[in-house]
Amino acid sequence: MSRLTLTKLRSAKQRGEKVAMLTVYDATFAGLLEAANVDVLLVGDSLGMVIQGQESTLPVTMDDMVYHCRNVLRGSRHAFILVDMPFMSYAVPAQAIDNAARLMREGGAQMVKLEGGQMLSETILQLTMRGIPVCAHLGLLPQSVHRVGGYRVQGREERVADQIYEDAVVLQQAGADMLILECIPAHLGRKITKALEIPVISCGAGPYCDGQVLVLYDMLGISLSRLPRFSHNFLEKTDSILNAVQSYVSAVKRGEFPTLEQSY
Ligand code: KIV
């Protein structure tokens, strides 16, 4: 069987089927997530914090992303592979093209993810014109943590919410094929999901999006820090990682996760 395709992810949105996505950084977990029917494996630059013990995602390099992506590729056969472009690897379009090509050619990525609003329109246009699928990322942007002043919910004020909405529409027009919304109010997640044709995935953006993504180590409770409100330890009620991931997938597919209490 071949890998899940973007076409299938698009038709899942049309059919109202939710997409289950998790971050993953190595071959063993990639195989396990796939066995639990996770649709999309996100090789997130959260690996800087989760795997490398950095204070933010900023020190993560292209070499790190290629290395982890290749491992995830080897461990999986069917899931769709989405990969983060690390901090400053897409500062100008020409650099973004070279680095995205590397993630696809050497890492095996099927789609690359970039953090930011309308200023990325030209970059997204240039990438997608060259056949590189792009996932945009709006709301809380961890690569901009020093500018924002911390990891906090975005879009509570009307002005900021309107900006996030407008960015989403413009980035879809520029060619973005998917969108991740991080840490925004659920009503804004719903408004954007309804307005866009592309799949919109929530990471703390409420239950109304087309799918959900969590950091794997958070949803397995392998973390000493307090879980964000939108996450949940699925390993709490079972002693098997496979069962925990399967519970996550079925809760997402049935629209039971997240609840409004787990949203902003
Ligand atoms: O790097 C990551 O894990 C991410 C998710 C938080 C969406 O981008």
Side-chain angles (χ1 to χ4, degrees), residues 23 25 42 44-46 84 113 115 137 180 182 203 213 215:
T23 68
Y25 320 105
L42 168 60
D45 61 355
S46 50
D84 263 331
K113 177 160 82 63
E115 293 183 13
H137 182 151
I180 287 185
E182 182 165 352
C203 179
V213 59
V215 170

Side-chain angles (χ1 to χ4, degrees), residues 99-135:
N99 284 324
R102 208 180 145 205
L103 288 173
M104 295 182 86
R105 196 184 287 134
E106 296 175 37
Q110 287 171 278
M111 179 184 266
V112 297
K113 177 160 82 63
L114 321 179
E115 293 183 13
Q118 294 181 40
M119 62 157 291
L120 289 176
S121 295
E122 182 59 24
T123 304
I124 291 177
L125 180 70
Q126 295 293 332
L127 288 170
T128 51
M129 275 194 323
R130 286 168 176 79
I132 299 174
V134 173
C135 176

